[in-house]
Amino acid sequence: GAVVSQHPSWVICKSGTSVKIECRSLDFQATTMFWYRQFPKQSLMLMATSNEGSKATYEQGVEKDKFLINHASLTLSTLTVTSAHPEDSSFYICSARPTSGTDTQYFGPGTRLTVL
Amino acid sequence: QKEVEQDPGPLSVPEGAIVSLNCTYSNSAFQYFMWYRQYSRKGPELLMYTYSSGNKEDGRFTAQVDKSSKYISLFIRDSQPSDSATYLCAMSGGDSSYKLIFGSGTRLLVRP
């Protein structure tokens, strides 16, 4: 149980294009999902908290117009990187907090984004 | 000072050894404590979850929380090469934000 999927697992795009990453909780409902970014050999950096049916809460320094988050259902959140640039290349990981049960988060497998 | 301190390692041990991983923290409001394992280029996998102080055992893994000392540990018995990964401690205060505060992660290498 407690499986979170991400799609795509990796993506290469040209500078200036937009990329959408999906995060799904497969066997539980998640009112709250989180988006993280991780650079090589570093820990996870929280980008934003996504709540179903409401606007996302962004961490300080994260551009909300660049990283668009939509949490349309209790099992799906999307992150869209708009007008991507090479510096946006990174490993993006989502997590989902079960609506009922323990106060923890289950992580997706991550999406590796490379912007050329 | 970071809210959560974790030795980055790397920690290298022979197969079969007992591994001890630790984190210290400064925020006494933390109530939920987790250990995640992350393989290279993968998302973190939840290993252990503990609420408040005490011990929890699951197979070869034992998690300990000492809130009075603000110190948590993860013990791995009979370590295997497949345990080689980065181990992240995480904790939260149970507030409405549900945010996790992570340690920097400890790289573990179990030598065959």
Side-chain angles (χ1 to χ4, degrees), chain B residues 84-96:
Chain B
S84 298
T86 296
Y87 290 79
L88 297 156
C89 64
M91 45 200 81
S92 69
D95 61 17
S96 59

Side-chain angles (χ1 to χ4, degrees), chain B residues 9-85:
Chain B
L11 177 62
S12 181
V13 301
E15 183 175 354
I18 297 175
V19 175
S20 173
L21 304 168
N22 310 293
C23 289
T24 59
Y25 63 95
S26 56
N27 189 344
S28 58
F30 290 147
Q31 299 179 60
Y32 302 91
F33 304 90
M34 286 138 275
W35 285 95
Y36 288 89
R37 177 175 63 193
Q38 186 176 24
Y39 293 111
S40 181
R41 298 174 182 254
K42 300 289 184 183
E45 172 194 8
L46 180 65
L47 284 178
M48 301 291 283
Y49 168 86
T50 309
Y51 171 68
S52 194
S53 286
N55 295 356
K56 186 173 185 178
E57 186 174 324
D58 184 2
R60 295 185 296 113
F61 299 93
T62 299
Q64 289 186 350
V65 175
D66 182 349
K67 290 191 70 179
S68 63
S69 301
K70 297 190 181 68
Y71 188 87
I72 69 170
S73 300
L74 177 70
F75 297 96
I76 306 175
R77 291 181 297 280
D78 187 26
S79 57
Q80 303 295 311
S82 58
D83 294 328
S84 298

Side-chain angles (χ1 to χ4, degrees), chain A residues 5 7 10 13 18 23 46 60 63 72 86 89-90 104 115-116:
Chain A
S5 70
H7 178 79
W10 59 271
C13 69
S18 295
C23 176
L46 179 65
Q60 191 173 8
E63 299 176 58
S89 299
S90 190
T104 189
V115 184
L116 302 177

